Amino acid sequence: MITYRSGDTGYATELAGFQTGFALRPDLVVAAAGASDVRRAVAYAAERGLPVGVQATGHGLPGAAEGGVLVSTRRMDGVRVDAEARTARIEAGVRWGRVVEAAAPYGLAPLSGSAPGVGAVSYTLGGGLGVLSREFGYAADHVRALDVVTADGELRHVTAETEPELYGALLGGGHALGVVTAMEVGLVPVARLYGGSLMFEGGLVDEVVRTYLEWTRTVPDTLTSGLSVMVFPDVPFVPARLRGRYTASIRVAYSGSAAEGERLVEPLRAIGPSVQDTLREMPYTESATVHSDPEQPHAYYGDNVMARELSVADARRLLALTGPESPVWTVTQVRHLGGALAKDHPHAVPHRDARFLVQVLSGLDGTDLPAVRALYGEVFAALAPVTLGRSLNFCFGGGDRAGLYDPETQKRLARVKEQYDPANLFSRNYVSPCGR
């Protein structure tokens, strides 16, 4: 076990991650190589009444780390695939890209997200909205077992049969109940998909929105999609031809045949000429190209709402606030939910009756954070009539837990919290578990 304190050589390097907009200042950083190191770190914190945070990739930052103990799990990167059982055992620091590559030779795939660099365990604890989520549900729906160090320093092997209350609370509750050191997840028999994106010029945005919302009512559950509207920033990693352009992109992932995929997207292609069309058949190992999320660490802030419905008028109000005339640069995304995401499961992933997830994200380099928050307040006020709550996975940089859970789920989490972490050692770990 390697430890760092502020001022030590290696302290800043160990804290560095994908999110550069917020600084962590824990008293102690524990670079864990395995579950025994995690147990020692938790016991140390418990003896001194210090909060405990967890970080793998640094996509999301743990609020509990400030002034306390941060467990860095990036060295815990083991992956073991059981092709016969269609499962993978993944350790706490593993990124989705490694799991995808490990499963592919067997014609299998995990319920991974849009970005291969995101930490698999924390992503799944927050629910896990994946590339093929409408067909297979949340990543949390496919978890068979979890190894977790709870506040008493014990390493527990948790399943729906052995400890059903803790199992159900961990899946959807994030790291608020302990440090998950490993997870066994189910894999699905998917080796290829039809997918990619259609990008349109800003003048067609209104037609793109109208067509997309109508189209989502017609597609099968085997098709998962999303809409992204933005002015491309003038930064080096954006192709020169796109910088400064206002565009709307529809992202598609479909597990059926390429021929049927082509038929399903015909109404989208009929919108008008596209700036870019990457729709094609691809191996699942290339599924990250559907969204092509940025890979470079940067500063950002974001939030979301889970909406029971979204009308064209709702979308127009949203884009009027976040479009080219907005005082704050914003990416606006709408993800189509439903299908298997709406099926009940014995865990704490909430708001399953939502039909859309609406996400806003803004870069913070040169941007005033209060101005970003003020804009988001307007956005979410406009969407309040259709809002059910928020998704834990898409709270980037915000510590407000309001709306994350419905009242019954909140009560359930509180009961489990009282049993397993009465001293609130992990009290602030609801903050942004997007693949920490």
Side-chain angles (χ1 to χ4, degrees):
M1 179 173 70
I2 305 170
T3 61
Y4 302 95
R5 293 189 181 275
S6 180
D8 289 350
T9 301
Y11 177 87
T13 301
E14 193 65 33
L15 288 174
F18 189 80
Q19 165 65 280
T20 64
F22 299 89
L24 291 176
R25 292 291 181 269
D27 289 343
L28 179 69
V29 180
V30 176
S36 61
D37 290 345
V38 176
R39 292 186 65 187
R40 290 167 63 190
V42 170
Y44 174 91
E47 289 171 2
R48 293 158 178 79
L50 299 173
V52 178
V54 190
Q55 179 173 310
T57 67
H59 278 72
L61 299 181
E66 196 70 25
V69 176
L70 176 70
V71 180
S72 172
T73 63
R74 66 182 66 180
R75 292 166 182 78
M76 300 169 63
D77 61 354
V79 178
R80 186 175 69 245
V81 172
D82 183 333
E84 185 175 348
R86 291 183 179 176
T87 61
R89 175 181 166 81
I90 53 180
E91 293 185 348
V94 172
R95 301 172 187 239
W96 271 129
R98 286 204 60 212
V99 189
V100 170
E101 293 291 340
Y106 307 103
L108 300 171
L111 273 298
S112 51
S114 59
V118 163
V121 166
S122 289
Y123 159 97
T124 303
L125 294 179
L129 190 61
V131 177
L132 294 173
S133 56
R134 278 177 37 82
E135 180 173 5
F136 296 107
Y138 287 100
D141 300 342
H142 297 261
V143 173
R144 309 287 183 85
L146 308 99
D147 292 342
V148 56
V149 176
T150 45
D152 56 5
E154 292 299 313
L155 176 64
R156 302 169 186 268
H157 184 70
V158 178
T159 69
E161 292 73 35
T162 60
E163 293 188 77
E165 287 298 311
L166 181 57
Y167 168 87
L170 286 167
L171 297 172
H175 283 289
L177 295 163
V179 182
V180 173
T181 61
M183 182 183 287
E184 181 184 322
V185 300
L187 304 174
V188 295
V190 174
R192 35 80 46 212
L193 56 83
Y194 171 85
S197 68
L198 280 170
M199 182 184 295
F200 299 93
E201 192 65 75
L204 289 173
V205 165
D206 195 69
E207 181 62 17
V208 170
V209 168
R210 185 191 64 78
T211 301
Y212 176 71
L213 292 178
E214 292 178 359
W215 178 75
T216 58
R217 298 186 181 280
T218 70
V219 297
D221 292 351
T222 46
L223 191 151
T224 301
S225 67
L227 171 67
S228 178
V229 183
M230 64 183 291
V231 176
F232 274 96
D234 185 5
V235 293
F237 60 81
V238 172
R241 65 186 182 85
L242 295 177
R243 294 174 194 170
R245 296 179 77 171
Y246 184 46
T247 65
S249 298
I250 300 174
R251 285 83 174 264
V252 173
Y254 173 59
S255 65
S257 70
E260 181 61 8
E262 286 285 312
R263 188 192 69 79
L264 287 168
V265 300
E266 284 177 1
L268 305 180
R269 286 205 169 111
I271 291 171
S274 60
V275 174
Q276 183 172 281
D277 182 344
T278 66
L279 291 169
R280 69 194 192 283
E281 187 169 35
M282 67 178 77
Y284 191 83
T285 52
E286 296 178 11
S287 60
T289 64
V290 172
H291 289 256
S292 294
D293 289 341
E295 299 176 358
Q296 299 79 5
H298 58 283
Y300 55 94
Y301 182 87
D303 210 337
N304 72 95
V305 295
M306 306 283 280
R308 64 171 60 87
E309 188 51 87
L310 192 70
S311 68
V312 174
D314 292 329
R316 284 172 176 160
R317 284 193 291 272
L318 173 64
L319 295 178
L321 289 168
T322 61
E325 304 305 315
S326 171
V328 173
W329 178 83
T330 304
V331 180
T332 303
Q333 296 187 345
V334 176
R335 297 178 187 239
H336 183 207
L337 307 179
L341 294 166
K343 295 179 181 178
D344 287 333
H345 283 265
H347 50 57
V349 180
H351 313 307
R352 286 184 171 267
D353 49 345
R355 189 159 179 267
F356 293 99
L357 182 142
V358 179
Q359 177 192 357
V360 285
L361 185 147
S362 299
L364 293 181
D365 290 331
T367 302
D368 181 26
L369 182 56
V372 175
R373 288 175 169 153
L375 173 66
Y376 287 14
E378 292 184 63
V379 167
F380 297 135
L383 294 174
V386 296
T387 294
L388 293 170
R390 298 158 70 210
S391 168
L392 189 59
N393 277 139
F394 297 95
C395 300
F396 301 132
D400 182 7
R401 286 169 49 191
L404 288 177
Y405 304 100
D406 58 85
E408 285 304 311
T409 301
Q410 187 65 57
K411 290 177 184 176
R412 174 185 175 187
L413 288 171
R415 288 196 304 270
V416 180
K417 181 76 168 174
E418 180 61 29
Q419 179 179 353
Y420 289 94
D421 185 19
N424 281 323
L425 201 66
F426 308 102
S427 61
R428 296 194 295 276
N429 268 344
Y430 282 102
V431 182
S432 191
C434 175
R436 292 198 189 113

